[in-house]
Amino acid sequence: MKRFILLAVTCAMTVPALAQNVATVNGKEITKDQVDTAVKTLIARGATDSPALREQITEQLINSAVLSQEAEKQGVDKNPEVQFAIENARQEILIGSMMRDWAKSHPVSDDDIKKAYDDFKAQSAGEQEYQVKHILVKDETAANKLLKDIKAKKISFADAAKKNSIDPGSGKNGGDLGWAPAENYVPEFAEAVKAAKKGQLLDKPVKSQFGWHIIQVTDSRPVKVPTLEEAKPQISQMLSQQSLQEQMKKLRDEAKIEKSAPEGASADKPAEAPAAAPATEAPKQ
């Protein structure tokens, strides 16, 4: 609760002083509007308005004013790193407020949600999801030996996973990755899963960027599509984020942006872009 009060007080300190005062600190006013803003922030997080809460917020505002005034007296606000942090915080507050206003003024319509849902449902038609177990080891020799022992029933798949898998998430669960579409996995893993028969322990380990996988597909079923009502909150959030991203792109495209060459880089040769992150991901745990 104390952390939330500090957050609420930080928000309240940005509110213009246009109302009656609840206190002054060395002549600097702390207003009722600032207290009200902090209370509103905390109520949104589940708190209950009360005289005790308002007194606690007032005391925190006073403490913050005392400390910030002392920091300014010591010249802390002149430090370039502090000025940078202050400006970043100012921008974050402005951007956050603008984003909330954008979402309110551009609500997602039910028709848009229905269209997105129908598209998703059509794309999911005929897709399968698989219940998969795997054991991940570092080298092929170890993978082949372990697979041979599992086939010979010298050790169970679950015990082998718990003892040998370097994937800690699934290893402790006997190698179980749960249910997921094959596309959730890296390409080599996904292709092996889709080609396997239900209940099959693959004859050979499969190599990926993470090592060697011993794979067993225990079951498969058609992907279960949630109902429109079940999917509506997620679709609404997704469409709202897409709308905001489009607005951000529009604003950037309209802005006049001039970038200077990085220090030490040739003016007629663009700097090399950082290497792209791998397009694949590890099997989800």
Side-chain angles (χ1 to χ4, degrees), residues 23-255:
T24 59
V25 178
N26 297 321
K28 182 176 180 179
E29 300 166 345
I30 296 173
T31 70
K32 182 177 180 298
D33 276 354
Q34 291 174 319
V35 176
D36 289 343
T37 298
V39 169
K40 184 178 178 181
T41 301
L42 291 173
I43 288 175
R45 295 176 177 270
T48 301
D49 191 358
S50 69
L53 178 64
R54 288 177 173 272
E55 177 62 22
Q56 194 173 0
I57 289 170
T58 300
E59 286 298 313
Q60 187 61 56
L61 284 168
I62 290 171
N63 290 341
S64 295
V66 169
L67 292 173
S68 63
Q69 288 177 27
E70 179 61 23
E72 290 176 356
K73 186 186 299 183
Q74 294 181 15
V76 175
D77 57 323
K78 304 298 190 294
N79 184 310
E81 291 183 1
V82 173
Q83 291 179 341
F84 178 77
I86 291 172
E87 177 59 20
N88 267 358
R90 188 186 75 87
Q91 289 184 11
E92 287 180 7
I93 292 169
L94 289 172
I95 292 168
S97 180
M98 180 192 69
M99 289 171 64
R100 288 189 292 273
D101 289 345
W102 172 265
K104 289 179 182 177
S105 61
H106 296 77
V108 178
S109 71
D110 288 342
D111 288 343
D112 289 339
I113 293 174
K114 179 67 165 58
K115 183 180 182 305
Y117 174 78
D118 289 342
D119 290 343
F120 165 71
K121 190 173 181 179
Q123 291 169 6
S124 301
E127 288 190 357
Q128 294 282 310
E129 60 180 358
Y130 303 86
Q131 188 176 38
V132 181
K133 296 179 180 179
H134 89 133
I135 302 170
L136 178 62
V137 295
K138 289 184 178 179
D139 64 84
E140 184 178 15
T141 301
N144 281 320
K145 182 180 183 307
L146 194 56
L147 178 58
K148 184 178 179 181
D149 289 345
I150 293 170
K151 287 182 175 180
K153 300 188 184 301
K154 292 182 179 180
I155 188 171
S156 69
F157 193 103
D159 288 342
K162 291 175 183 178
K163 183 178 179 180
N164 299 281
S165 184
I166 59 174
D167 177 359
S170 66
K172 65 183 180 183
N173 295 323
D176 188 13
L177 291 168
W179 287 93
E183 288 71 24
N184 278 28
Y185 306 119
V186 291
E188 305 91 339
F189 194 102
E191 290 172 11
V193 166
K194 287 190 288 186
K197 295 179 181 179
K198 185 163 63 173
Q200 181 181 358
L201 174 65
L202 271 62
D203 291 334
K204 295 180 180 179
V206 175
K207 187 179 185 302
S208 78
Q209 67 199 75
F210 302 101
W212 291 84
H213 305 264
I214 299 170
I215 300 173
Q216 183 175 28
V217 179
T218 58
D219 204 353
S220 65
R221 66 188 181 191
V223 170
K224 182 181 178 182
V225 179
T227 66
L228 174 58
E229 285 305 309
E230 290 171 339
K232 190 173 182 177
Q234 291 81 2
I235 293 175
S236 178
Q237 183 180 20
M238 177 192 72
L239 293 178
S240 181
Q241 289 174 345
Q242 287 178 355
S243 176
L244 179 61
Q245 288 170 358
E246 289 169 3
Q247 173 67 0
M248 290 171 62
K249 182 180 184 304
K250 177 177 177 291
L251 292 173
R252 184 179 172 93
D253 290 343
E254 292 174 349

